[in-house]
Amino acid sequence: MSKQVIISIGREFGSGGHYIAEKLAERLGIELLDKNLVERVAEEKGYSQEAIRQFDEKGTSILFSRNINGYTSSASENIAQAQFEVLRKDAAEGMSFVVVGRCAEDVLYDQPALISIFIRGEQDVKKQRIMEKYELSEDKALALMKKMDRERKFYHNYYCRNKWGDSRGYDLTINSSLLGLDGTVDVIEAIVRARQ
């Protein structure tokens, strides 16, 4: 890509958002920031990777943290802010990338190169995908889907101005169940290239 492009992907659990992000990065020849962001933050900030993974994309409870003069005792908040800092730095340096989650549509809202996308899906399709991927029963897949979406929503709504999944907070909201994962990648890629 000759011109900077930043694609943020918010997603419902089971919607295939990570796969879609991976394929977009591959097709556009740009970096994917997801779990590798955890490794970078650990390296740059001196955190252990295990500590970051434990608190990665987890909301902060005001009951168990203290804020004094802009400093917090919350590990999850410190880790979130460290990830936000890395995203802002990469964007400011002109890097093109696809980022999964991490409130990127809000953290990078002032970046002209940003295209923010939310991937949703039909419950039956998401449930089937989760059952196959994690080898779970139908009940356990539904329970995991609800738990993960609840955690993502809590984390997102803690740090962002717009609510998780609210179409007004994204440039594009798309149902991956309509065209399938690869069809969804095709549509998003076409939009990104048209914008270029």
Side-chain angles (χ1 to χ4, degrees), residues 93-161:
E93 289 175 357
M95 183 175 156
S96 289
F97 55 89
V98 178
V99 59
V100 179
R102 278 102 184 149
C103 301
E105 78 283 351
D106 197 78
V107 171
L108 302 174
Y109 75 95
D110 59 345
Q111 292 292 323
L114 177 68
I115 300 171
S116 59
I117 300 163
F118 189 82
I119 312 287
R120 60 172 295 272
E122 298 302 323
Q123 182 169 307
D124 288 346
V125 177
K126 294 186 300 181
K127 177 186 69 181
Q128 189 63 40
R129 189 174 289 122
I130 293 165
M131 287 170 63
E132 290 170 9
K133 183 173 182 179
Y134 298 101
E135 298 179 2
L136 295 174
S137 68
E138 183 175 344
D139 290 343
K140 287 187 178 182
L142 282 170
L144 180 61
M145 184 168 48
K146 287 178 184 172
K147 174 186 178 282
M148 294 300 293
D149 281 348
R150 187 173 51 247
E151 287 179 6
R152 287 176 179 174
K153 182 178 183 178
F154 180 72
Y155 169 81
H156 184 279
N157 292 351
Y158 181 83
Y159 293 106
C160 299
R161 291 168 290 213

Side-chain angles (χ1 to χ4, degrees), residues 55 57-67 72-78 80 151 154-159:
F55 296 107
E57 289 197 286
K58 300 286 189 264
T60 299
S61 171
I62 58 171
L63 299 175
F64 300 108
S65 65
R66 291 182 57 191
N67 287 308
T72 181
S73 64
S74 166
S76 59
E77 188 156 345
N78 285 324
E151 287 179 6
F154 180 72
Y155 169 81
H156 184 279
N157 292 351
Y158 181 83
Y159 293 106

Side-chain angles (χ1 to χ4, degrees), residues 174-184 187:
I174 191 165
N175 182 342
S176 63
S177 301
L178 296 178
L179 299 172
L181 300 184
D182 291 313
T184 302
V187 168

